[in-house]
């Protein structure tokens, strides 16, 4: 029973568990230790909420860029290098980081190990005894005797670790492992179906088909792994993990509603935008037709005016020709009259 490198997490988690337990036990609530573990789980998840909000944002962004990713995968199917370059450009353009959704899982790993130490050695991490105190207590004992000695000592010091007849400091081999495996299966199933819901083309490309195959494998092996691990660790840790899985399902459900509504709203906006663009194009077409008609009307009116002007000009020219002919005829008449007068004078003489 030596100090661990995770004592910086295990000690505050154990002290918080003791604080919650004291409050519940003081109120004479049965199963105080188990309820305290459940409340501790909710508090830890609440502290990690900013990371989960980022995960939800990442899920939302993933759903938005998924169609474009599909296009790139189909377009550059035979050129992996070009596909990667285009993917990087897309991630930079949209601000999407595929690894951003992994942080909650990575942060949970040290918390799980720290809680393992808390439930395995409640004397140190919950009741505040020293490691030397525990070493002296279990000296000369081995295996199950060590665990039983620690449990008995904790009971003497006022820490009742029973929850509905299950001692949460010991291994539980029936109910809790099954619950752990079942909730793990539901969590993975819900997450996988969410991906299909937000990306209907999810299984079309080869890479996504491989990812779906991996998800199926996880849906089988992860619950089995969870079951067998639950058989080896204190029941208190199994309670924590089961509640965590249930919380993950609830969180995924809320995320689905948020993301689905966002995507639905975006889709409606895109449809409205397309309708407005189509209406604008139709209006532009009508305006173009009207302009052509006006242009044709203007051209025809210009032609009519031109023809009318030509007709008037021809009429004026014809009138001028007629006047000239009249003048010529008058001159001829004058000349004839002067000739006739001259000839009559000659005859008189």
């Amino acid at each position: 029973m030596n100090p661990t490198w995770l004592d910086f997490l295990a000690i505050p988690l154990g002290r918080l568990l003791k604080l919650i337990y004291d409050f519940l036990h003081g109120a004479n609530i049965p199963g105080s230790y188990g309820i305290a573990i459940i409340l501790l789980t909710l508090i830890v998840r609440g502290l990690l909420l900013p990371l989960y909000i980022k995960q939800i944002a990442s899920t939302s962004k993933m759903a938005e860029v998924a169609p474009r990713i599909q296009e790139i995968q189909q377009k550059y199917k035979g050129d992996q290098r070009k596909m990667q370059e285009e993917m990087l450009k897309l991630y930079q353009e949209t601000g999407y980081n595929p690894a951003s959704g992994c942080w909650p899982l990575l942060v949970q790993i040290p918390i799980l190990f720290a809680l393992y130490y808390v439930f395995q050695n409640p004397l140190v991490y919950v009741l505040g005894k020293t490691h030397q105190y525990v070493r002296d207590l279990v000296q000369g004992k081995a295996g199950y005797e060590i665990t039983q000695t620690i449990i008995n000592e904790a009971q003497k010091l006022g820490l009742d670790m029973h929850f509905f007849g299950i001692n949460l400091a010991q291994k539980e081999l029936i109910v809790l492992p099954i619950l752990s495996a079942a909730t793990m299966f539901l969590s993975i199933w819900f997450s996988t179906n969410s991906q299909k819901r937000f990306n209907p083309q999810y299984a079309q490309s080869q890479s996504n088909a491989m990812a779906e195959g991996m998800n199926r494998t996880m849906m089988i092996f992860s619950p089995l792994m969870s079951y067998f691990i639950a058989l080896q660790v204190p029941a208190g840790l199994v309670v924590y993990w089961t509640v965590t899985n249930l919380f993950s399902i609830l969180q995924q459900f809320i995320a689905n509603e948020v993301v689905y509504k966002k995507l639905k709203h975006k889709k409606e906006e895109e449809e409205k935008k397309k309708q407005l663009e189509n209406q604008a194009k139709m209006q532009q077409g009508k305006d173009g037709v009207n302009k052509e008609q006006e242009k044709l009307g203007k051209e025809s009116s210009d032609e009519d005016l031109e023809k009318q002007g030509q007709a008037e000009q021809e009429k004026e020219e014809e009138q001028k020709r007629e006047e000239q002919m009249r003048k010529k005829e008058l001159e001829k008449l004058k000349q004839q009259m002067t000739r006739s007068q001259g000839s009559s004078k000659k005859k008189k003489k």
Side-chain angles (χ1 to χ4, degrees), residues 1 132-142 145-146 149-150:
M1 298 297 172
Q132 185 60 49
Y133 176 89
V134 178
R135 280 196 295 269
D136 294 340
L137 183 68
V138 299
Q139 190 174 9
K141 296 180 176 63
E145 283 185 302
I146 294 175
T149 302
I150 292 172

Side-chain angles (χ1 to χ4, degrees), residues 161-172 175-176 235-236 239:
M161 292 178 285
H162 288 84
F163 184 59
F164 292 107
I166 299 170
N167 192 326
L168 298 181
Q170 294 178 323
K171 298 172 186 176
E172 202 279 320
V175 178
L176 291 177
V239 171

Side-chain angles (χ1 to χ4, degrees), residues 254-293:
I254 295 170
N256 288 356
E257 292 303 310
V258 172
V259 174
Y260 178 71
K261 285 180 181 178
K262 185 178 179 181
L263 290 176
K264 186 179 178 182
H265 181 67
K266 186 177 180 182
K267 189 175 180 181
E268 288 175 352
E269 284 184 346
E270 286 177 354
E271 287 178 355
K272 285 179 182 179
K273 189 177 178 181
K274 284 181 181 178
Q275 287 178 356
L276 290 172
E277 287 176 354
N278 291 333
Q279 288 176 359
K281 285 179 181 177
M282 289 175 66
Q283 189 63 38
Q284 285 177 356
K286 287 180 180 179
D287 292 342
V289 171
N290 292 335
K291 284 180 181 178
E292 284 292 327
Q293 289 177 348

Side-chain angles (χ1 to χ4, degrees), residues 23-39:
F23 174 78
L24 296 172
H25 190 67
N28 295 319
I29 296 174
S32 298
Y33 192 68
I35 296 171
I37 292 172
I38 293 170
L39 293 176

